[in-house]
Amino acid sequence: MGWGQLKLNYDEPAKKWTDALPVGNGSMGAMVYGQLDKDRIQFNHDTLWAGAPTTYTNPGAHEHLQEVRDLLFAGKRKEAESIAARNCMSKPLRQAPYQPFGDVYLEFPKFKDVSEYSRSLDLDAAVVTTSFQSAGVTYKRSVFASHPDKVIVVRIEADQPQSITFDALLTTTHETSSSNMKVDEKTLGLKGRPDDFTNRQKTLYPGTIEFEARLQVESTGGTVEVLDDRIKIQSADAVVLYLVGGTSYENFQSLAADPAAQCKDALASVAGKSYDKILADHQTDHRSLFRRMQIDLGGGHSAHKTTDERLNAYAGNPDPNFVALLHQYGRYLLIACSRPGSQAANLQGVWNDSKQPAWESKYTLNINFQMNYWPAEQANLSECHEPVFDLIDDLTVSGAIIAKDFYQARGWVTNHNTDIWRGAAAINNSHQGTWPLGSAWICQHLWERYRFSGDKGFLRERAYQPMKQACQFYLDYLVEDPKAPEWLVSGPSNSPEHGGLVMGPTMDHQLIRSLMRYTAEAAAVLEVDDDFAATLRKTADRIAPNEIGSAGQLKEWRYKENPRNTHRHVSHLWGLHPGEEITPDTPDLFEAARKTLEFRGDAGTGWSRAWKVNFWSRLRDGDHMAKILGGFFVNSSIKGGPGFYNNLFDAHAPFQIDGNFGLTAGVCESLLQTHRRTDKGDYVLDLLPALPSQWPTGSISGMRARGGFEVSLRWQDGKLQQAEIKSLIGNRLVIRDGEQLTVLAEKTEPGKTYVYPAD
Ligand code: FUC
């Protein structure tokens, strides 16, 4: 598909927030409605949250740990849950919610005789455009969020002079302590703090973070007047508005940043710069990431003009290039909400219009947050992964307090959620919130960054210490199985969020085993900590193994089973994806994983379906993968339930961005897998492992592979035509094509492209 085809198109203005179209520059996000007379641009800043710095700790919690374990080993789950609930939980019990920032409203005199309305988001240009005709004049509005200039830009044009008259308002729903002010002759300001927030448990999260936004106008022709609460523009030929914003959040322990200075700096960066130059810089920046990958799955020149119609039609007539559009949309969204220096993408990326967003729009670490970042390396957006590593750095500090106070353990730990204050303790309830495995899973992202890039500097300076300290926690936390003391088990914990508080959930064992093994491997690469690495390997070998249950499924827990339930989480298949201990090289477990997934079924929330796309790809069953897509590509704006909204945001429901990112990763997994290794340790490039028959002919370029390669593939009639593989760091190049393993080059030359089949 050409770049110009990567568009979301609509023929009417957004009515709801999930019709509006997203732009973002990493830290700031905005939703563009494209309404006629009163247009709305709702915006966010990634550091605007409720609450204030806090550790969430509960210092005496460790005193009850042994008792909870004993009760669980004795089969007294309810008692254990209630002791844990009373004594071993975060204080306060719930974490803080992400907050909306404000809205820009553009109020025009009523447009009459409107025709030719169109609204689109061009994923390659990274601009939202609204255009229409009224009384013989063609109007156009363009909105984009520039990362290099840290501004959101709104341009309003007309094809006839002096046709633009409107009021621009800068507002917020945080009304208690916010106010507008005139900053200068062309700038309106808004400052304040979020309204105090009281959650269901009556815990008060005071609005503490200070925010400030500014809206500056540049008009060609006409008059501009800045009042105390609005900017009035009259009879202009063209207008550009610059929206900037900042907060007092400096880091998770300090609110000493200056929001006014952030606004001034951002406006200073665009002062004297033309609109065309700002747009050109924005597009150069965006395309330097976005254009690394192209995908064409065939079909797709659909008769349906608008994106919502295309979505509505998918179930009856699966359109492969609509899948390709969604794949690229995931990449667009990651670029828009996660950049070096920004906060990491939360449950809604950076976009949120509610003061009480679902699940507080936090970072849920028992699947959702990690899913957000599955595409980062594979889909060639490694830079967008950076905020995860910053978040891990913070958690090594806040999580060390929890390791000590809850477990008297070394190292750091985090449970199933964190927020802007880097809460790490068990939250909400003991049977789901007690899951001290967030740290194990999130460390995999450090290791993956190393495996894709081969960057030893990154491994040494950023990755190794958090990984090592996470291992220290688990060395102290694991306990012997009382009935089979040769094995170590995890607990108290749960198999997310299924079956209550237990000892010995399978997923935990996979996560800890994997963490210890790759940390030992990292130590070997860095030539450090030999003894520690040996301890890790020995301990990993003692962790309770995967087991096959009575119905042929993979057992979800060591001490119980429930094979036929259809719960949305399929956590014990972590070892299949994104882990890698279950592969065709372990045929019995591979088969048990398939059985497990058959029992669980093809339904689920948005992220659950996206995970199943990845699972079925790893099971090398492209047609089952496509079947999941068939159920997932449903218009949730019309039907409710899981699917996608009109603006192609993933519907959990409600909106949760993980499904968008999980889908992008899943499409990559179906075309290229690189998690299996040869005996020598090379990552095998497995080409088209799960190509569905619905995509007989297509191509993809710019996929990244573990071991440091960039891969482009073309296929026809379901068969690989050609692969071009660029070596990035000189590793040995091993290809799998079906059953055929080929060493394409014993040693590769960085920068050189290798072709398979060889010419
Ligand atoms: C987990 C999931 C829910 C939801 C929430 C944000 O708790 O079980 O489905 O995605 O995270």
Side-chain angles (χ1 to χ4, degrees):
M1 267 200 303
W3 299 116
Q5 285 169 279
L6 292 170
K7 280 188 182 168
L8 278 56
N9 293 310
Y10 304 85
D11 59 8
E12 54 180 22
K15 296 191 187 83
K16 293 191 197 143
W17 192 79
T18 45
D19 300 335
L21 295 171
V23 296
N25 64 11
S27 289
M28 285 189 84
M31 297 292 283
V32 184
Y33 280 65
Q35 283 161 345
L36 292 167
D37 308 325
K38 185 174 182 186
D39 203 354
R40 178 180 181 200
I41 298 157
Q42 184 271 326
F43 65 95
N44 291 92
H45 192 283
D46 58 1
T47 59
L48 190 58
W49 289 62
T54 176
T55 65
Y56 290 105
T57 196
N58 184 351
H62 64 86
E63 288 162 22
H64 304 270
L65 181 61
Q66 191 56 46
E67 187 183 1
V68 172
R69 278 184 178 144
D70 291 345
L71 285 167
L72 288 171
F73 276 132
K76 297 182 176 162
R77 176 161 75 85
K78 288 287 167 206
E79 283 103 308
E81 284 175 356
S82 95
I83 301 243
R86 281 202 303 278
N87 303 293
C88 309
M89 302 302 292
S90 167
K91 282 192 169 165
L93 189 59
R94 292 184 87 90
Q95 292 171 354
Y98 181 48
Q99 291 296 295
F101 195 143
D103 295 272
V104 172
Y105 286 102
L106 309 176
E107 294 181 352
F108 297 87
K110 194 162 176 50
F111 290 102
K112 299 202 180 94
D113 305 323
V114 173
S115 62
E116 305 297 315
Y117 179 91
S118 89
R119 177 167 75 90
S120 68
L121 165 59
D122 182 327
L123 302 183
D124 174 55
V127 177
V128 171
T129 308
T130 309
S131 65
F132 58 92
Q133 288 178 8
S134 164
V137 182
T138 301
Y139 294 91
K140 184 174 160 194
R141 300 176 200 154
S142 313
V143 183
F144 62 89
S146 159
H147 177 67
D149 283 317
K150 299 189 169 52
V151 289
I152 293 175
V153 182
V154 183
R155 180 173 163 88
I156 301 157
E157 310 165 53
D159 68 348
Q160 313 232 350
Q162 300 175 17
S163 307
I164 300 170
T165 293
F166 67 98
D167 285 4
L169 283 74
L170 180 58
T171 69
T172 177
T173 51
H174 298 293
E175 286 168 348
T176 321
S177 57
S178 68
S179 54
N180 277 128
M181 69 276 182
K182 175 176 171 177
V183 178
D184 59 34
E185 292 313 316
K186 47 185 198 170
T187 316
L188 179 66
L190 167 74
K191 62 179 176 182
R193 280 182 282 109
D195 290 345
D196 291 347
F197 171 78
T198 306
N199 68 14
R200 276 182 276 154
Q201 283 69 29
K202 309 261 180 289
T203 308
L204 173 74
Y205 295 83
T208 309
I209 296 182
E210 286 168 16
F211 61 72
E212 184 157 340
R214 293 188 185 183
L215 188 67
Q216 189 169 86
V217 60
E218 292 287 348
S219 159
T220 311
T223 60
V224 170
E225 196 184 354
V226 179
L227 306 180
D228 287 340
D229 69 338
R230 65 190 57 217
I231 305 177
K232 287 185 99 54
I233 291 123
Q234 265 191 324
S235 308
D237 302 332
V239 174
V240 183
L241 297 166
Y242 300 105
L243 172 67
V244 297
T247 78
S248 59
Y249 181 89
E250 184 182 26
N251 59 51
F252 74 105
Q253 295 166 317
S254 157
L255 297 183
D258 179 353
Q262 290 158 47
C263 291
K264 269 190 226 152
D265 289 351
L267 286 175
S269 117
V270 290
K273 203 167 164 180
S274 71
Y275 170 81
D276 289 344
K277 175 80 173 117
I278 297 167
L279 176 62
D281 287 355
H282 159 62
Q283 292 185 328
T284 303
D285 164 70
H286 172 76
R287 286 178 173 144
S288 72
L289 297 165
F290 189 72
R291 287 197 169 180
R292 288 176 185 169
M293 182 172 243
Q294 243 180 325
I295 179 168
D296 190 331
L297 296 178
H301 303 291
S302 116
H304 301 286
K305 234 177 56 220
T306 63
T307 300
D308 42 338
E309 284 172 19
R310 240 177 129 180
L311 176 59
N312 300 344
Y314 188 90
N317 183 18
D319 166 0
N321 264 342
F322 194 54
V323 181
L325 179 72
L326 259 299
H327 173 267
Q328 289 286 34
Y329 191 41
R331 297 184 65 246
Y332 168 87
L333 291 170
L334 194 61
I335 295 168
C337 74
S338 186
R339 291 293 197 101
S342 79
Q343 294 298 312
N346 63 45
L347 283 173
Q348 298 185 180
V350 68
W351 299 278
N352 166 40
D353 69 335
S354 167
K355 290 197 260 187
Q356 294 186 45
W359 293 285
E360 293 83 25
S361 196
K362 305 186 295 287
Y363 306 96
T364 304
L365 296 166
N366 66 9
I367 169 62
N368 317 87
F369 181 62
Q370 291 86 346
M371 182 178 276
N372 284 357
Y373 285 93
W374 287 347
E377 301 295 330
Q378 315 177 267
N380 216 333
L381 296 174
S382 194
E383 294 88 336
C384 298
H385 216 166
E386 289 287 327
V388 175
F389 312 137
D390 295 340
L391 184 136
I392 292 174
D393 285 344
D394 293 350
L395 283 170
T396 61
V397 177
S398 60
I401 299 172
I402 303 308
K404 182 168 157 290
D405 289 353
F406 282 62
Y407 300 93
Q408 296 218 294
R410 297 167 296 164
W412 67 282
V413 64
T414 184
N415 282 264
H416 94 307
N417 262 280
T418 191
D419 62 359
I420 194 101
W421 314 115
R422 307 314 187 212
I427 62 163
N428 298 0
N429 52 56
S430 64
H431 62 282
Q432 295 180 331
T434 308
W435 187 71
L437 272 299
S439 27
W441 192 342
I442 206 172
C443 279
Q444 191 198 23
H445 287 252
L446 295 163
W447 181 235
E448 288 287 38
R449 156 58 82 84
Y450 166 69
R451 298 207 297 174
F452 277 89
S453 66
D455 183 347
K456 280 192 198 165
F458 172 81
L459 188 64
R460 186 179 309 109
E461 275 128 47
R462 297 249 23 214
Y464 184 66
Q465 283 305 322
M467 283 159 42
K468 177 179 174 181
Q469 290 160 24
C471 286
Q472 283 170 332
F473 170 79
Y474 295 108
L475 287 172
D476 293 350
Y477 159 81
L478 289 169
V479 292
E480 289 181 350
D481 179 337
K483 294 209 178 100
E486 65 276 25
W487 294 113
L488 297 172
V489 296
S490 167
S493 182
N494 73 97
S495 185
E497 302 171 1
H498 186 209
L501 197 65
V502 291
M503 295 302 292
T506 301
M507 179 200 220
D508 289 20
H509 300 152
Q510 296 171 347
L511 279 164
I512 302 170
R513 190 161 44 232
S514 155
L515 169 72
M516 289 186 172
R517 290 202 171 127
Y518 64 69
T519 303
E521 190 178 338
V525 172
L526 298 175
E527 299 178 33
V528 295
D529 292 340
D530 284 352
D531 295 346
F532 183 68
T535 305
L536 292 182
R537 284 193 205 92
K538 251 198 349 244
T539 308
D541 287 345
R542 282 188 64 201
I543 294 174
N546 291 309
E547 285 173 328
I548 297 173
S550 58
Q553 89 288 9
L554 194 76
K555 272 184 75 181
E556 186 163 356
W557 306 272
R558 184 164 171 81
Y559 305 109
K560 62 177 180 179
E561 56 179 333
N562 184 359
R564 287 189 168 73
N565 69 76
T566 56
H567 196 269
R568 64 191 181 287
H569 286 268
V570 202
S571 306
H572 47 316
L573 292 200
W574 188 91
L576 175 70
H577 179 277
E580 51 207 46
E581 58 183 41
I582 302 173
T583 72
D585 304 325
T586 58
D588 294 347
L589 293 175
F590 197 65
E591 187 44 39
R594 168 185 288 273
K595 263 246 126 28
T596 304
L597 219 45
E598 282 166 1
F599 286 135
R600 279 297 215 260
D602 296 339
T605 55
W607 62 259
S608 174
R609 289 172 200 249
W611 201 353
K612 287 170 185 170
V613 170
N614 287 272
F615 283 142
W616 282 108
S617 293
R618 284 266 170 113
L619 285 171
R620 310 178 73 77
D621 188 338
D623 285 337
H624 205 126
M625 185 277 291
K627 193 170 162 226
I628 305 281
L629 293 181
F632 193 10
F633 282 44
V634 167
N635 192 335
S636 185
S637 294
I638 297 176
K639 302 201 162 166
F644 295 91
Y645 293 106
N646 282 330
N647 66 0
L648 302 188
F649 270 175
D650 163 53
H652 176 288
F655 165 50
Q656 208 170 283
I657 205 161
D658 40 22
N660 288 100
F661 296 133
L663 175 80
T664 299
V667 170
C668 291
E669 282 294 325
S670 71
L671 301 176
L672 175 71
Q673 291 174 19
T674 62
H675 59 291
R676 288 164 75 192
R677 296 168 81 168
T678 64
D679 296 343
K680 294 185 177 168
D682 323 289
Y683 296 98
V684 176
L685 275 55
D686 192 342
L687 312 178
L688 304 181
L691 185 69
S693 47
Q694 280 175 10
W695 311 342
T697 298
S699 62
I700 187 161
S701 64
M703 274 187 293
R704 294 282 305 279
R706 293 179 185 81
F709 298 98
E710 202 167 291
V711 180
S712 300
L713 304 172
R714 270 192 296 113
W715 64 94
Q716 208 176 332
D717 303 325
K719 295 222 160 43
L720 180 74
Q721 293 291 296
Q722 193 174 63
E724 289 180 17
I725 298 144
K726 185 171 162 192
S727 166
L728 302 177
I729 51 176
N731 276 338
R732 187 165 182 257
L733 175 52
V734 186
I735 303 289
R736 174 182 286 278
D737 180 8
E739 291 306 305
Q740 178 76 32
L741 266 193
T742 308
V743 180
L744 203 57
E746 274 302 337
K747 195 171 166 15
T748 56
E749 222 176 277
K752 189 171 161 190
T753 298
Y754 298 79
V755 176
Y756 175 86
D759 292 330

